[in-house]
Amino acid sequence: MRVRLEVVEGPEAGRFFEFNQADSFLVGRSPKAHFVLEPKADRQISRHHFLLDIRPPRCLLQDLNSKNGTYVNHRRIQRHQLEDLDEIRAGQTVLRIRILEGDGEPAPAPDLPVQIVGSLTSSERDPASPQGQLPIPPPASDVSFLCFGCDRDLSRWAQADGWAEELPDSRYLCPTCTAAQRSHNVGRKTIGNYRIIRELGRGGMGVVYKAVHEPTRRLCAVKEILPDAAADQKTLKLFDREIGVQSMVIHRNLARILERGREGDHLFFSVEYLEGGDAYRLAAEVFRGPLNPPLACRIICDILRGLQALHDNGFVHRDLKPRNLLLSRAYDDPGMSAKITDYGLAKSFEDAGNSMFDFTRVGDVAGSMMFMAPEQILDYRFVKPPSDVYSVGVSLYFLLTKKFTIDFPKPPSPGGGGRNQAPPQHPIHAMIEDPPIPILERRPNLAPDLAEVVDTAVLKDVDRRYGTATQFLAALESILATEEPV
């Protein structure tokens, strides 16, 4: 699919812009906009007027709380999915969109080993047990893997796929303990070879379950892609391709993808189950406020090590935030390590026609957008590793303050303030323009050296902040080696 944007009226009439892949296109007075409309020529244009979000096969238009509004076919809109020949008016400027058919199919999936899993057959189950008899195991090894619930030795089953010793953070659960822990609120019992224990969460892309891989008794997190996010074969191919490629990147600080499969039209994959939860939950529910600096730095150092491995293999995450930073154990366990999850899925989600800038997805504005680097909007097609490094910096800032680097714009009060009231600042405007608040203003007792590192990591100017995860890690480690951060 190709998208052509033609300026048919206004001071810039005759210009056009073409897109042949996912992209973002900002229109307004700001010199940072992709299409700059000079205020002297058109006084009705706001600094950041609207954002065109191109996600084949969809084109989404988002008004950025402009003072004079954005119109599609003479109707004022806040958010609108565009169709071929729609006309967009902003001030005196009218743009016509052409959505042209083309080669929109994703590249073929790489030739990777894929296991399409299925349920255990009836011959492998014990009718007397609701969980089924354990399948005949392979020969035992010298390493013991015990049931996390009752200490039953499950070593022979844990070794069934040969990965047990490569997954030192994994837990195992026997059939009896699996049955005891299963929630009665979960509708389905299994997905593929996985027996579901309970739902861990759900979002715009899918549902996450805590489950037991029945052949090995390994606890896993199984992520099922919802039908709305996998509406057609193109989407399924994109997810399949990305999950397959990402499963090749193995590092202690990357949550490992274990298996992927399909049941009908449902795509799912399994990853390590990391019992410590995510870093956002740690701040919001465990500490109910900022983390102590040594713990926050320990988590972020692990994340930076995993991120460098991801970048070394040619991947950019695009959606790093505290909810995607998982802990292998409880935060006070000496063996705890932090790992990145969901790497590669943000790009697949967008390439499949979904928007990362969709403000209709409840909670995602503050949950994701405020951790994105400005260039992720301004230069979408060429997002590079420094954008991920910025997101980790904002995550550290959040863990140390439980606040964002900028004050999140508040919506207007009910009833408004009259016709002449200026529209509220749009979050995208704040992301691009507002300078970060120095962290010492949020947490005055923080060690100055640590504050300087954090402030450098969250600078909006990509040339002034840390360019690689290794640089950011070295700066943190130099502080941790010489002093205990307050």
Side-chain angles (χ1 to χ4, degrees):
M1 186 188 89
R2 291 188 298 116
V3 174
R4 180 182 173 96
L5 201 60
E6 303 168 347
V7 185
V8 295
E9 290 183 26
E12 301 288 335
R15 292 187 66 182
F16 67 90
F17 306 88
E18 289 195 345
F19 313 88
N20 57 14
Q21 57 185 299
D23 209 340
S24 297
F25 188 74
L26 181 65
V27 176
R29 293 189 285 109
S30 170
K32 296 180 180 178
H34 302 106
F35 181 25
V36 179
L37 293 169
E38 295 292 340
K40 291 181 180 179
D42 192 342
R43 297 181 180 275
Q44 297 179 329
I45 295 295
S46 295
R47 184 170 179 82
H48 300 117
H49 203 99
F50 70 79
L51 177 73
L52 184 63
D53 197 14
I54 301 161
R55 300 290 181 266
R58 303 167 69 204
C59 288
L60 305 169
L61 180 68
Q62 174 79 53
D63 179 78
L64 301 180
N65 293 351
S66 61
K67 183 177 180 180
N68 295 300
T70 301
Y71 295 78
V72 175
N73 302 331
H74 308 291
R75 183 171 63 89
R76 186 165 183 167
I77 60 93
Q78 183 63 34
R79 182 173 178 81
H80 186 80
Q81 181 167 330
L82 296 168
E83 297 180 0
D84 188 33
L85 297 176
D86 278 348
E87 291 192 348
I88 307 163
R89 176 178 289 276
Q92 300 175 30
T93 299
V94 177
L95 304 98
R96 180 182 297 131
I97 189 163
R98 298 303 318 273
I99 301 176
L100 309 170
E101 294 298 325
D103 182 12
E105 286 298 305
D111 186 16
L112 298 173
V114 180
Q115 183 176 3
I116 305 301
V117 300
S119 300
L120 292 174
T121 64
S122 58
S123 62
E124 295 173 308
R125 297 179 185 270
D126 178 0
S129 168
Q131 299 303 311
Q133 178 181 338
L134 292 173
I136 298 173
S141 73
D142 295 333
V143 182
S144 294
F145 297 90
L146 306 181
C147 173
F148 189 53
C150 67
D151 287 340
R152 176 182 175 182
D153 189 353
L154 300 176
S155 301
R156 293 165 67 90
W157 293 273
Q159 298 279 7
D161 59 2
W163 283 10
E165 294 179 20
E166 295 182 38
L167 301 169
D169 295 318
S170 291
R171 302 288 198 188
Y172 298 84
L173 215 59
C174 72
T176 302
C177 292
T178 300
Q181 291 191 19
R182 187 176 186 275
S183 170
H184 297 294
N185 296 325
V186 178
R188 64 190 306 168
K189 294 182 179 180
T190 63
I191 180 169
N193 279 345
Y194 298 85
R195 186 161 293 275
I196 295 171
I197 295 176
R198 64 183 175 92
E199 183 177 310
L200 295 174
R202 64 174 59 221
M205 293 170 64
V207 185
V208 185
Y209 299 106
K210 179 181 179 181
V212 172
H213 182 232
E214 293 193 300
T216 63
R217 311 308 309 172
R218 182 181 298 120
L219 277 171
C220 302
V222 177
K223 303 193 176 188
E224 178 185 14
I225 307 304
L226 290 174
D228 287 348
D232 55 25
Q233 288 301 310
K234 176 183 176 182
T235 302
L236 291 174
K237 289 178 183 178
L238 282 163
F239 277 108
D240 205 30
R241 179 191 68 189
E242 288 297 328
I243 293 169
V245 173
Q246 299 298 336
S247 66
M248 300 177 66
V249 186
I250 298 172
H251 188 276
R252 178 171 174 76
N253 299 117
L254 298 175
R256 187 160 175 179
I257 295 177
L258 303 174
E259 196 168 54
R260 69 190 191 277
R262 288 197 183 105
E263 272 195 348
D265 292 334
H266 294 257
L267 177 69
F268 68 89
F269 61 99
S270 66
V271 298
E272 296 178 80
Y273 175 69
L274 300 169
E275 64 188 57
D278 62 67
Y280 178 85
R281 174 186 165 275
L282 188 63
E285 299 178 18
V286 180
F287 280 80
R288 296 189 177 184
L291 276 59
N292 64 68
L295 175 60
C297 291
R298 177 185 173 191
I299 291 170
I300 293 302
C301 284
D302 274 356
I303 294 304
L304 289 169
R305 294 183 187 102
L307 184 60
Q308 190 60 58
L310 201 61
H311 291 165
D312 287 344
N313 281 273
F315 298 110
V316 179
H317 191 292
R318 294 173 178 257
D319 193 24
L320 281 168
K321 55 191 175 185
R323 290 190 187 277
N324 283 338
L325 315 182
L326 303 183
L327 310 184
S328 64
R329 297 280 186 267
Y331 74 92
D332 54 356
D333 188 319
M336 182 274 290
S337 62
K339 307 190 182 197
I340 298 171
T341 190
D342 282 357
Y343 44 97
L345 295 186
K347 184 176 187 302
S348 292
F349 189 60
E350 293 178 316
D351 286 350
N354 300 282
S355 172
M356 293 298 286
F357 307 124
D358 188 346
F359 289 89
T360 64
R361 290 188 285 141
V362 177
D364 279 7
V365 179
S368 292
M369 294 283 293
M370 302 305 276
F371 295 95
M372 284 186 184
E375 63 267 19
Q376 214 160 328
I377 297 173
L378 299 173
D379 200 8
Y380 168 81
R381 284 186 295 170
F382 303 103
V383 173
K384 296 179 180 178
S387 297
D388 282 345
V389 178
Y390 172 89
S391 298
V392 176
V394 178
S395 296
L396 177 56
Y397 187 108
F398 181 85
L399 295 179
L400 290 170
T401 64
K402 206 168 177 287
K403 295 180 183 293
F404 299 120
T405 57
I406 56 177
D407 288 327
F408 192 70
K410 295 180 180 179
S413 58
R419 293 183 60 185
N420 295 326
Q421 182 186 36
Q425 185 186 43
H426 195 279
I428 286 181
H429 177 101
M431 290 171 58
I432 296 172
E433 299 290 349
D434 289 4
I437 297 170
I439 196 169
L440 288 177
E441 293 185 20
R442 305 284 206 195
R443 190 167 180 170
N445 64 344
L446 200 65
D449 287 352
L450 176 58
E452 183 179 354
V453 170
V454 177
D455 285 341
T456 300
V458 300
L459 290 171
K460 296 285 177 84
D461 186 345
V462 67
D463 294 324
R464 296 175 59 203
R465 62 180 187 251
Y466 300 113
T468 67
T470 298
Q471 291 175 358
F472 189 3
L473 176 62
L476 279 179
E477 287 183 330
S478 67
I479 293 172
L480 297 175
T482 57
E483 59 182 285
E484 185 80 355
V486 177

